[in-house]
Every structure is written in structure tokens, then in C-alpha cells.
Amino acid sequence: AQILVRKGAKVYLAARSDAKAKACLKRIEDEGHEKGTAEWHHLDLADPALAKASAEEFLKKEERLDILSAFSNHNHFEV
């Protein structure tokens, strides 16, 4: 996410946890970026209805999604 933001991308961090997502966003912000943006998008894949609602909410903001990458809590950024 950090590299994409630095390169000018608009990045959505999809996560269940508001606190963890905000901590990740803070790390990205603290490291600095030149052109891009990062924001949190609530996503809970444990419930198909919630996942569908999240996708519908995303489509209200954006016309398309260019890259989708799934990260677990075992990655560098816990989201």
C-alpha cells in the first residue's frame, strides 16, 4: 500500500477493524507520500451479506477497482 500511495495511487485499505485500519493509515501518513491517497473501507468477509454491502458501498464511491489484494493478519501491516 505504501509504495502504491507514493506512486500516486488511490488506495483503499479494506479491513474489519477500524482501529487496525486507522493505525495502518497513520503509518502510511507518517512515512509520507507525494501524490497518492489512502483510506479505510470496511470489509468483513465472514458474512456474505456484509461483503456484498461493502462492495455496493465501494461502487457508490468508485466506478472501478484496478487491483484487489488480500492480506491476512500475518502480513507486515495488520489490517
Side-chain angles (χ1 to χ4, degrees):
Q2 290 171 316
I3 292 168
L4 291 171
V5 171
R6 273 191 245 132
K7 296 289 185 179
K10 183 174 191 179
V11 175
Y12 286 94
L13 299 171
R16 286 182 298 192
S17 169
D18 178 49
K20 288 181 180 182
K22 287 181 178 178
C24 183
L25 289 171
K26 183 175 180 342
R27 287 192 299 261
I28 291 171
E29 190 70 30
D30 289 348
E31 192 170 289
H33 52 81
E34 297 174 18
K35 303 175 188 174
T37 61
E39 59 185 85
W40 173 54
H41 179 81
H42 185 263
L43 175 61
D44 186 348
L45 296 176
D47 180 341
L50 292 176
K52 182 179 182 203
S54 178
E56 290 168 348
E57 187 63 32
F58 180 83
L59 289 173
K60 291 178 185 176
K61 298 182 215 177
E62 301 292 339
E63 293 181 12
R64 67 180 208 213
L65 175 65
D66 293 321
I67 299 172
L68 177 62
S69 181
F71 295 99
S72 71
N73 283 338
H74 303 289
N75 289 51
H76 179 68
F77 290 112
E78 293 184 11
V79 178

